[in-house]
Amino acid sequence: MSYSVYVEAKISADGNFADCKYFKDYQGTEEIPGSEIHIPIDSGNCIFSQAESTELLLIGATFKTIGSTPGMNASNFAPADDENNVSFAMPTTQSIVKGVVLLFSTPGTVQNLYPSSDPQVLNDGPATC
């Protein structure tokens, strides 16, 4: 089982970051307000996918459990698959918060890489049974 979040990204006004909006659906009609994303505790995986109207391509993500020992390694990065989806595991037996930085590029010829602001994923929602 997994939970999908759809992201719409465009280049920020200063040209250095990706401004993001998050949605429950590919079409971008069910917006998730803010950047705190609550998923069911039994999801197991959180998948970020591109929303229909995104301007930038999702190419990867870094993530870290908030409150754990700081540090980055290979287990804190996930490249996007061929369909621009990024997936990372969430425990199903305890609630945690993961800070996530999504990484985007321009479509076609890559002109720059754009990190997102830091959405947080919380697996504290009711089980989906």
Side-chain angles (χ1 to χ4, degrees):
M1 180 172 220
S2 60
Y3 188 87
S4 292
V5 176
Y6 298 88
V7 59
E8 177 185 285
K10 65 180 181 177
I11 300 171
S12 64
D14 67 7
N16 293 316
F17 298 94
D19 282 337
C20 299
K21 290 183 182 179
Y22 305 97
F23 300 91
K24 294 180 181 180
D25 64 320
Y26 172 73
Q27 294 78 18
T29 60
E30 296 180 57
E31 187 170 353
I32 299 169
S35 61
E36 194 170 272
I37 300 164
H38 297 266
I39 69 172
I41 192 156
D42 61 351
S43 297
N45 285 307
C46 181
I47 301 170
F48 279 89
S49 300
Q50 295 181 167
E52 182 176 39
S53 60
T54 191
E55 295 175 14
L56 296 173
L57 297 177
L58 179 60
I59 62 169
T62 60
F63 40 87
K64 188 73 178 150
T65 302
I66 305 295
S68 68
T69 305
M72 293 297 293
N73 56 49
S75 65
N76 297 99
F77 176 77
D81 64 17
D82 291 343
E83 296 170 356
N84 301 93
N85 300 310
V86 174
S87 177
F88 55 89
M90 296 290 286
T92 58
T93 57
Q94 66 178 358
S95 292
I96 65 162
V97 179
K98 281 196 179 183
V100 180
V101 176
L102 301 171
L103 187 59
F104 297 89
S105 72
T106 48
T109 303
V110 175
Q111 298 169 344
N112 202 352
L113 299 178
Y114 302 94
S116 69
S117 59
D118 186 15
Q120 293 186 351
V121 177
L122 298 84
N123 64 338
D124 61 354
T128 53
C129 297

